[in-house]
Structure formats: structure tokens, C-alpha cells
Amino acid sequence: MGKKDKIDPAEGAEVAPEYQAGVLAMARARMEASNADAEQGLAEAAAQTQRQRAAHAGLEEELAEVREDARDQYFFLQQQLDADFERIAALERRAVVDGVELDRAERHHKARLARSQASHEEAIRAQTRREEDARVALAAARKELSLPRPDDFVEEAEVEEAEPPPPVVEARKTSKWRAALVTP
């Protein structure tokens, strides 16, 4: 007999009455074994489900801790970022204030330098005018001194022209090698 000819009691084929009790016992034993296997599989599945739930609960706790740490880190980093932004804003304000003060000081110093240069140039012009006036006065004084005065003509007429006396020269030895002439 081939496979097709085999009768499976589970398919509900007709079985001879003497074999029916054995077939039923076998079917019952198979069913009980199957139920036992199913119960054992179910118990193993339940145990595995419990283990997975415990593992899942542990993972959820770990995830909650990680999320809490992440929130704390985010809060801390946000505070640092806010502080850095405040510091940057303060530095930018200080840079603007310093730039304005620098511009103001530069304009002040340029104006002061221009006033100083103008007063220096005015002082130079005044000194130049005084020097020119002094030169003119000196030239006039020299010219006046070089012209004969009217009273000089009178004295010259009365004075006979005489030769001036020669200067008295005294020779004195000042050193062994040189003699110096000294006029009294």
C-alpha cells in the first residue's frame, strides 16, 4: 500500500471496530501529548513574555534615565548657550561703545592737533614778522650809524687832522716757545 492507501484516523475514515479503541486511545494520547506540548510551549512563551516584559521594563527605566539625563544636559547646555549669547551681546555692545568712544577721541585729537598746528603756524608767522621787523630795524640802525650826523661835521672842521698815535704794544713772554703781544 502506498501513502494514499494509508488511513489516518484523524481524517475520520472508517476504522474497524476492533481497532477503534486503539485508534481512539492513540488519538487521545496524541491529543494529550499535543495539549501537553502546547501547554509547555504556552508556559515557555509566558515565561519568555515575562522575561521580555522584565527586560522591557528595565529598558524603559534606562530609557527614562537617558531621557532625564538628556533633558538635564539640554537644560545645562541651553543655560550655557544663553550665558554665551548674553556675553556675546555684552561684548558686541562694548565693541560698539568702544568704537564710538574711539571715533570721538580720534575726532577730538584731530581737532586738537589742527588747533595746535594752527597756533604753531601762527606763532611761526608772528616770529617771522618779529624777525623781519628786527632786520628792518637793524638795517635802519646800521644805515643811520653809517650816515654822518650834522654835529659830526662841525667837530671835524675844528679838529685838525692829526695822525692817531700808534698803539702801545708790550711784549711779554708767555711760554718758552711763544711770545704774545698784549696791548694795554
Side-chain angles (χ1 to χ4, degrees):
M1 289 205 264
K3 251 182 165 185
K4 289 186 179 183
D5 295 338
K6 222 177 191 184
I7 298 172
D8 187 10
E11 290 182 9
E14 289 186 30
V15 179
E18 63 265 0
Y19 296 114
Q20 280 183 354
V23 171
L24 282 175
M26 272 177 44
R28 192 171 285 161
R30 249 194 232 166
M31 196 164 62
E32 286 176 4
S34 176
N35 281 345
D37 285 344
E39 286 177 7
Q40 184 180 0
L42 194 59
E44 286 176 6
Q48 185 177 3
T49 301
Q50 288 295 352
R51 286 191 303 270
Q52 287 177 346
R53 283 184 180 168
H56 179 69
L59 290 175
E60 281 184 353
E61 289 174 11
E62 187 177 330
L63 179 63
E65 289 175 10
V66 167
R67 284 182 177 164
E68 183 72 25
D69 290 344
R71 267 189 246 115
D72 290 344
Q73 289 173 351
Y74 177 80
F75 180 73
F76 175 74
L77 291 175
Q78 192 65 35
Q79 281 182 331
Q80 282 186 333
L81 185 63
D82 290 344
D84 289 344
F85 279 137
E86 290 172 8
R87 185 169 182 225
I88 289 169
L91 289 173
E92 286 174 347
R93 284 190 301 271
R94 184 65 193 164
V96 168
V97 168
D98 288 347
V100 168
E101 288 176 0
L102 181 65
D103 290 342
R104 185 179 303 140
E106 187 176 330
R107 285 192 307 269
H108 172 72
H109 289 298
K110 282 182 180 177
R112 190 172 166 195
L113 180 63
R115 285 191 307 266
S116 175
Q117 285 176 342
S119 67
H120 179 68
E121 289 171 0
E122 181 60 34
I124 288 174
R125 283 192 294 271
Q127 181 66 28
T128 305
R129 281 192 301 267
R130 284 193 298 271
E131 287 176 2
E132 288 174 1
D133 292 344
R135 282 190 190 116
V136 168
L138 181 63
R142 284 184 180 162
K143 187 175 182 183
E144 184 179 313
L145 289 175
S146 66
L147 292 178
R149 285 187 246 153
D151 56 342
D152 285 344
F153 293 124
V154 172
E155 289 179 15
E156 284 181 15
E158 297 175 1
V159 176
E160 293 180 17
E161 289 189 30
E163 289 185 28
V168 178
V169 177
E170 182 179 319
R172 182 168 39 139
K173 196 172 186 182
T174 57
S175 71
K176 181 172 161 183
W177 307 103
R178 222 195 241 157
L181 294 175
V182 178
T183 57

